[in-house]
């Protein structure tokens, strides 16, 4: 794993935005995997600016987001789909038909997850997967536990994850759905390249376990050690465990 430490969150966001913009310039048909959360907001802001400044053409890019809450439609203001519209999709010329998202209202979530796996495979796989990390070491919504589901699946969120996502629901953790659909760790590990971003002291222990800890389902991010092309982009706080 390549580790890159930045003095400030802003420098990290700018460097990652440049990497993604350059990747699209090099390969206009790039398939991008994208995360939600507070951490990527600065990155998406930068990516919008860089895209505008450098006239990056998103028209042939495809995007696959990691996860979505069960029960929330794409029109729901609290869906991750709406998060992505607000922070990225509304500001670049990505084709609507190239935005791939798990449907939290799918009548048959198992089929929805299978169809998502197929869509990723049919397009030739994800070229560059951008990730955040939960304070409990989760990736997407692959929660720590006795086991991990390899492929895209339905998951029950841990209390900590619901609390950590409360900011997106007006601060009320009771409003955070109890379940989500998420890419699995094997889905994520199939990506050709992975960049994980982490900022702030709350992520430091999870980051340390991800980089140096044993492979364990108790820290889903530890499985990234199996991948040959992972870059962890960290600010100084996230890079400094207690
Ligand atoms: C959510 C998302 C994850 C994300 C995590 C960290 O749980 N499902 O993909 O990495 O939040 O979020 P934040 O960046 O807000 O700490």
């Amino acid at each position: 794993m390549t580790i890159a430490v930045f003095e400030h969150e802003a420098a990290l966001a700018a460097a990652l935005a440049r990497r993604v913009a350059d990747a699209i310039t090099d390969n206009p048909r790039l398939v991008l995997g994208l995360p939600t959360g507070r951490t990527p907001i600065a990155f998406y802001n930068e990516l919008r600016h860089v895209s505008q400044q450098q006239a990056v053409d998103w028209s042939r890019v495809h995007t696959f987001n990691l996860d979505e809450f069960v029960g929330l439609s794409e029109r729901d203001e609290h869906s991750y789909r709406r998060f992505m519209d607000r922070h990225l999709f509304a500001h670049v010329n990505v084709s609507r038909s190239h935005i791939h998202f798990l449907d939290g209202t799918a009548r048959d979530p198992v089929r929805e997850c299978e169809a998502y796996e197929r869509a990723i495979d049919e397009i030739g796989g994800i070229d560059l997967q951008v990730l955040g990390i939960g304070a409990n070491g989760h990736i997407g919504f692959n929660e720590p536990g006795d086991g991990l589901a390899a492929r895209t699946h339905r998951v029950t969120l841990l209390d900590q994850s619901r609390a950590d996502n409360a900011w997106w629901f007006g601060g009320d953790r009771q409003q955070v759905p109890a379940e989500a659909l998420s890419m699995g760790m094997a889905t994520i590990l199939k990506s050709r390249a992975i960049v994980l971003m982490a900022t702030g002291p709350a992520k430091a222990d999870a980051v340390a376990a991800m980089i140096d800890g044993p492979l364990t389902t108790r820290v889903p991010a530890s499985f990234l050690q199996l991948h040959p092309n992972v870059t962890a982009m960290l600010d100084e706080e996230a890079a400094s465990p207690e």
Side-chain angles (χ1 to χ4, degrees), residues 97-158:
S97 63
H98 291 185
I99 296 171
H100 305 267
F101 234 95
L102 284 156
D103 178 359
T105 62
R107 285 227 188 106
D108 186 339
V110 173
R111 281 185 63 178
E112 173 68 10
C113 292
E114 286 171 358
Y116 207 61
E117 288 283 329
R118 259 198 319 277
I120 293 171
D121 287 342
E122 280 167 8
I123 211 152
I126 292 171
D127 294 306
L128 177 58
Q129 173 70 59
V130 182
L131 297 174
I133 182 170
N136 64 5
H138 77 213
I139 297 287
F141 269 130
N142 292 282
E143 296 280 39
D146 291 337
L148 288 172
R151 306 289 168 189
T152 303
H153 60 289
R154 182 176 188 160
V155 60
T156 300
L157 304 184
L158 297 179

Side-chain angles (χ1 to χ4, degrees), residues 56-221:
V56 176
D57 180 11
W58 285 72
S59 64
R60 286 179 289 169
V61 171
H62 280 259
T63 67
F64 285 85
N65 264 80
L66 282 165
D67 45 14
E68 180 60 284
F69 293 107
V70 167
L72 302 193
S73 81
E74 64 175 26
R75 287 176 303 283
D76 191 299
E77 61 171 325
H78 294 122
S79 68
Y80 276 164
R81 180 68 179 74
R82 281 287 289 272
F83 172 99
M84 291 304 301
D85 271 339
R86 183 182 304 176
H87 292 288
L88 182 68
F89 296 152
H91 311 280
V92 295
N93 70 328
V94 62
S95 160
R96 299 282 114 180
S97 63
H98 291 185
I99 296 171
H100 305 267
F101 234 95
L102 284 156
D103 178 359
T105 62
R107 285 227 188 106
D108 186 339
V110 173
R111 281 185 63 178
E112 173 68 10
C113 292
E114 286 171 358
Y116 207 61
E117 288 283 329
R118 259 198 319 277
I120 293 171
D121 287 342
E122 280 167 8
I123 211 152
I126 292 171
D127 294 306
L128 177 58
Q129 173 70 59
V130 182
L131 297 174
I133 182 170
N136 64 5
H138 77 213
I139 297 287
F141 269 130
N142 292 282
E143 296 280 39
D146 291 337
L148 288 172
R151 306 289 168 189
T152 303
H153 60 289
R154 182 176 188 160
V155 60
T156 300
L157 304 184
L158 297 179
D159 285 345
Q160 184 182 349
S161 295
R162 291 180 75 195
D164 288 349
N165 276 275
W167 65 276
W168 180 237
F169 292 80
D172 181 359
R173 77 162 77 177
Q174 296 308 322
Q175 298 300 315
V176 181
E179 294 180 296
L181 304 182
S182 176
M183 283 188 199
M185 284 311 298
T187 321
I188 292 164
L189 290 169
K190 275 191 307 188
S191 310
R192 287 183 191 86
I194 296 175
V195 179
L196 178 139
M197 54 190 315
T199 57
K203 302 292 173 67
D205 289 343
V207 165
M210 167 184 80
I211 295 170
D212 286 329
L215 296 189
T216 168
T217 59
R218 297 279 159 198
V219 182

